[in-house]
Amino acid sequence: MEATLEIRNDAESTLRELFATLLEQNICHALMLPVQLSAGGGVAPALVRDRDRLADARPLAPVLPVSEATTAARLTRGDRQGVLGLLMHPCQLRAFVELVKLQQADRENVLLIGIDCPGTYELTDYVKLAREMSEPGEDLLPELRQGQPQPHTGYGFRAACQVCEWPFPAQADLRVRIVGVGSKAELVLQGRSELLEALGFTPAADSAGLSEAEETLLRERRTRRDEVFAAFSAGVHDMAGLLEYFATCIRCLNCMGACPLCYCKECIFRTDTFQHRPADYERWLERKGAVRLPVDTLLFHLTRLNHMVTSCVGCGLCDSACPSDLPVARVFRAVGQRVQGLFDYVPGRDIAEPIPIATFREDELE
């Protein structure tokens, strides 16, 4: 069901009031949402219970500093009080659904909240932008309504966001819809009728299908995605090309730490298995004459790719974490598109949809 949310003053403060209502009506015991840390502009997820602490909330902040899904998964495991509201970007909502399937997160007593996403900036760019203007997310709303959000001059959206074909939080229990909402004086809420009524709204029927603006945004994202994937496939089509692609990798494991789908309690690449002895290097020198250091960089990426490619949601946090500016996400998304297509699987699409690595059918590859 849908309901109209009238904007008072500005969209950001209106959303803060909405979230305050969730707390005051005991719909949520606490909320996880992005909060501005200081006047310097930094934003990070925070757990909030008191209405007064919502003054620093930045629900429209176009930035993804850490994996919201990983944080949410940790908050939902084990004993806790009441319903936990989780405001996350669409990609992180999808990642959270995958973590639930992988038994790393609990969906019970959780209210998933999402807002249409124009794209996000790298954290360092967002901090600079926030110092130049008070509400960077607010300025993106007019173009986002038309399905054509453009980053601010001098700053670009993260590469992963430019090819993201899931900018709408379809998995949310409560969606704040912006794209396709024609009136500048309102937003649209989508959710269960009883939830909207508890918030004080009069529900109406959902809009029929996608709006023209939503179709426009999806079409442009998919076109850009296909261009990027085609360029990658043309340049990397064998093992030598893949080795060249990861030539500047220093095997810091940052991409693994940033990824919401890498959840192993003990990773083999952090064990003694890959703490090689001098004798190992001598043997390799004898065979090859030279050994690239650090070793096992390509094996690391291929192993990680094999483990989680069916669940990759394309959030691009691996790109953001890489000190060598390697476009790691491009590999995972390009390969992921092929592998996910084999199984007709879209990560995070439906919590009831079996995850490929946890199921087996004899004809699944036919």
Side-chain angles (χ1 to χ4, degrees), residues 197-332:
E197 289 171 356
L199 287 168
F201 296 98
T202 302
D206 286 348
S207 302
L210 292 174
S211 69
E212 183 179 345
E214 289 173 318
E215 293 282 12
T216 296
L217 181 54
L218 291 178
R219 184 167 55 250
E220 291 186 354
R221 293 281 179 83
R222 289 166 179 163
T223 298
R224 175 61 179 160
R225 175 202 64 190
D226 293 343
E227 292 172 350
V228 169
F229 289 179
F232 168 77
S233 298
V236 182
H237 46 76
D238 55 18
M239 191 61 69
L242 200 57
L243 280 166
E244 179 64 25
Y245 192 87
F246 287 112
T248 58
C249 174
I250 61 173
R251 220 195 76 174
C252 63
L253 310 187
N254 281 6
C255 53
M256 181 176 70
C259 177
L261 277 311
C262 276
Y263 61 85
C264 293
K265 301 298 183 291
E266 183 180 40
C267 175
I268 190 172
F269 286 95
R270 296 187 187 276
T271 67
D272 289 342
T273 301
F274 287 91
Q275 299 299 317
H276 301 297
R277 302 166 300 170
D280 296 325
Y281 292 99
E282 286 294 332
R283 187 172 66 256
W284 296 328
L285 282 171
E286 185 69 25
R287 187 170 74 247
K288 298 181 179 180
V291 179
R292 180 218 191 271
L293 301 175
V295 296
D296 307 317
T297 55
L298 187 55
L299 179 61
F300 162 69
H301 290 289
L302 290 175
T303 301
R304 202 170 78 85
L305 189 67
N306 183 61
H307 278 186
M308 46 73 63
V309 70
T310 55
S311 289
C312 178
V313 296
C315 67
L317 285 171
C318 49
D319 278 5
S320 300
C322 181
S324 299
D325 292 327
L326 270 169
V328 184
R330 189 178 303 173
V331 180
F332 280 75

Side-chain angles (χ1 to χ4, degrees), residues 16 122 341:
R16 292 190 197 106
E122 293 291 358

Side-chain angles (χ1 to χ4, degrees), residues 62 89-91 115-120 144 149 161 166-169 178-179 217 221:
H89 287 80
C91 62
I115 302 175
D116 290 357
C117 181
T120 60
L144 180 58
C161 297
W166 297 90
F168 313 127
I178 300 172
V179 180
L217 181 54
R221 293 281 179 83

Side-chain angles (χ1 to χ4, degrees), residues 126-138:
Y126 175 80
V127 169
K128 296 174 185 175
L129 192 59
R131 290 170 181 168
E132 299 172 7
M133 55 184 63
S134 58
E135 304 289 354
E138 199 83 33

Side-chain angles (χ1 to χ4, degrees), residues 51-95:
R51 174 194 175 105
D52 293 342
R53 302 303 296 271
L54 288 171
D56 295 325
R58 295 293 182 270
L60 295 176
V63 63
L64 183 61
V66 296
S67 168
E68 297 164 340
T70 301
T71 305
R74 291 169 181 159
L75 290 173
T76 61
R77 293 199 295 261
D79 297 332
R80 51 192 167 86
Q81 296 182 5
V83 174
L84 178 62
L86 301 171
L87 173 61
M88 293 185 280
H89 287 80
C91 62
Q92 297 301 295
L93 284 168
R94 294 172 59 219

